[in-house]
Amino acid sequence: MQLRVPGPTPLPPSVREALSRDMIDHRGPEFAELLRDVTTRLKRWFQTSNDVLTLTSSGTGAMEAAVVNVLSPGDRVLAITCGAFGDRFAEIASIYGASVDRVTVSLGRAVDPAAVGEALAAGGPYKAVLVTHNETSTGITNPLAEVARVVRQTESLLVVDAISSLSSIDLQTDAWGCDVVISGSQKGWMVPPGLAMVSMSARAWEAYRTARMPRFYFDLGQAKKYLERWQTPATPAVSLYYAFQAAFELLDREGMASVLARHQRCAERVRAGVRALGLELFADPAHASNTVTSVKPPEGVEVASLRKLLRESGVVVAGGQGELTGKIVRIGHLGMISESDVDEILAALEQALSRLRAPVQA
Ligand SMILES: *Cc1c(COP(=O)(O)O)cnc(C)c1O
């Protein structure tokens, strides 16, 4: 069975084993040591010396936390959106009362950093720029380093949704000057859903002090205060921290450079294989994601039938979201993924296509 949706992702055996451990007191010394270890390793993978807070929630909780901890109602925000998750970020800010302007990129394309510069110059100043590093709904990776360079020429905070990129695609939080960066456990980290991570720069903490959007569960100041004692304000998903520690044993043994390179190799192999089958890639090849590949089905083949046949052969892939429903399939290749997994996925795809095309050929 190959679970190849862009999260949740398959769990290594050692991670599954870690999940079966008994509970411990989340106010006791063992949990303190666990949280210290996971937090220290997260900071390395976030490539930051900023605070990294862990939240018991899905990734969307961290998106909400990123918004409500640095903004006040009425603050002007520039949201860069090139798909469903960029739209979600803009919507959260808007629901909490920010005044949101958008740079909207057509689906399947990446944002042009120059367009961000123009929007900042024409509409600014903005309190914050919201951007999705890897748009999971279309299979695009935005050129974040270049976008950051443009944003850093202004006073705006740079708030990054890196839920489906961090750990799999290079993101240099400090070197690029990202103020708030978020990720989620069930993507490249090889951990089940339920933990979200947020890094906060000194500038972001400065904004926190005057930010007036309502917050309680996701109050990162509280999280930071408790973290000083290696605790969390509310009861954490203890088992997921065990899982994280086990996943880090694997990630750190392999090393960040190797993990990133493996994702690139596997992604290239997926894209080449899909093309070799005569299929068209949906995303702009210049910015194709190394964690998720979106594929257009051939003429006359329904996405639903293709996904159903693949599922029956043991390979589970995702469909499109929103406007892209029925238009693309998305293959997740993040976390526990190897070249031989890719070959299995491609073989299943070839078989499913030949079965679906059979009546056409006849
Ligand atoms: C998965 C994902 C989310 C949402 O995360 P949930 O864990 O489903 O809440 C947000 N943004 C991106 C880029 C994602 O890939």
Side-chain angles (χ1 to χ4, degrees):
M1 166 76 172
Q2 287 243 27
L3 178 62
R4 295 302 170 192
V5 299
T9 60
L11 302 179
S14 60
V15 172
R16 290 180 4 202
E17 218 165 278
L19 284 162
S20 69
R21 279 169 54 191
D22 202 1
M23 282 303 101
I24 47 173
D25 172 17
H26 65 294
R27 305 283 179 217
E30 297 126 301
F31 184 76
E33 173 49 29
L34 182 58
L35 182 56
R36 191 200 57 76
D37 183 42
V38 168
T39 302
T40 307
R41 297 193 205 215
L42 276 170
K43 285 172 70 152
R44 278 208 299 275
W45 284 79
F46 270 65
Q47 303 187 55
T48 189
S49 55
N50 293 334
D51 292 309
V52 175
L53 293 321
T54 45
L55 308 169
T56 291
S57 90
S58 87
T60 305
M63 296 172 83
E64 189 158 328
V67 167
V68 302
N69 281 279
V70 297
L71 295 172
S72 300
D75 276 349
R76 301 192 56 239
V77 168
L78 185 67
I80 301 170
T81 142
C82 57
F85 291 112
D87 288 345
R88 183 179 298 184
F89 224 175
E91 191 183 352
I92 293 169
S94 168
I95 280 173
Y96 276 99
S99 164
V100 179
D101 289 344
R102 292 175 184 237
V103 173
T104 305
V105 182
S106 54
L107 299 179
R109 309 206 64 94
V111 69
D112 176 2
V116 177
E118 282 158 28
L120 287 168
Y126 291 101
K127 177 80 190 181
V129 176
L130 310 180
V131 63
T132 316
H133 184 204
N134 186 75
E135 180 49 80
T136 320
S137 69
T138 64
I140 272 290
T141 304
N142 278 314
L144 183 60
E146 288 76 21
V147 170
R149 207 169 297 137
V150 169
V151 175
R152 283 281 60 88
Q153 285 162 20
T154 72
E155 295 294 304
S156 302
L157 293 167
L158 179 57
V159 182
V160 182
D161 172 354
I163 293 180
S164 64
S165 55
L166 242 173
S167 79
S168 314
I169 297 171
D170 191 32
L171 195 172
Q172 300 176 26
T173 301
D174 289 359
W176 298 349
C178 304
D179 293 299
V180 185
V181 177
I182 63 174
S183 192
S185 56
Q186 82 275 26
K187 306 279 169 114
W189 304 94
M190 308 184 291
V191 171
L195 283 184
M197 302 79 91
V198 191
S199 76
M200 291 275 286
S201 70
R203 236 190 337 250
W205 283 123
E206 210 177 289
Y208 169 87
R209 273 182 241 119
T210 54
R212 287 290 163 264
M213 282 183 182
R215 57 192 182 222
F216 182 82
Y217 186 67
F218 291 132
D219 187 329
L220 296 179
Q222 286 296 315
K224 181 174 162 65
K225 204 173 91 191
Y226 275 79
L227 195 66
E228 279 155 20
R229 291 177 263 148
W230 303 113
Q231 289 188 14
T232 55
T235 314
V238 173
S239 305
L240 299 182
Y241 289 84
Y242 297 150
F244 239 122
Q245 204 170 35
F248 270 135
E249 287 301 319
L250 302 172
L251 288 169
D252 285 328
R253 192 181 312 149
E254 188 178 352
M256 193 189 306
S258 306
V259 172
L260 302 180
R262 172 168 55 80
H263 279 84
Q264 178 161 357
R265 279 198 314 275
C266 288
E268 280 165 2
R269 199 174 183 93
V270 170
R271 295 192 286 265
V274 162
R275 279 206 182 105
L277 291 173
L279 299 179
E280 210 181 316
L281 298 172
F282 176 72
D284 175 0
H287 298 282
S289 165
N290 283 344
T291 58
V292 55
T293 295
S294 50
V295 182
K296 292 192 202 171
E299 266 311 300
V301 168
E302 296 224 348
V303 163
S305 336
L306 180 57
R307 286 179 64 205
K308 182 160 178 286
L309 269 185
L310 281 170
R311 185 182 283 266
E312 282 162 10
S313 71
V315 175
V316 180
V317 299
Q321 291 164 274
E323 287 178 51
L324 294 175
T325 307
K327 303 227 168 78
I328 55 171
V329 294
R330 292 175 303 140
I331 304 168
H333 34 84
L334 68 171
M336 192 167 68
I337 180 88
S338 66
E339 275 111 327
S340 66
D341 292 323
V342 171
D343 293 345
E344 275 182 37
I345 299 166
L346 291 169
L349 186 58
E350 180 170 20
Q351 210 168 43
L353 284 171
S354 78
R355 282 180 60 189
L356 284 168
R357 278 163 167 169
V360 180
Q361 282 159 0

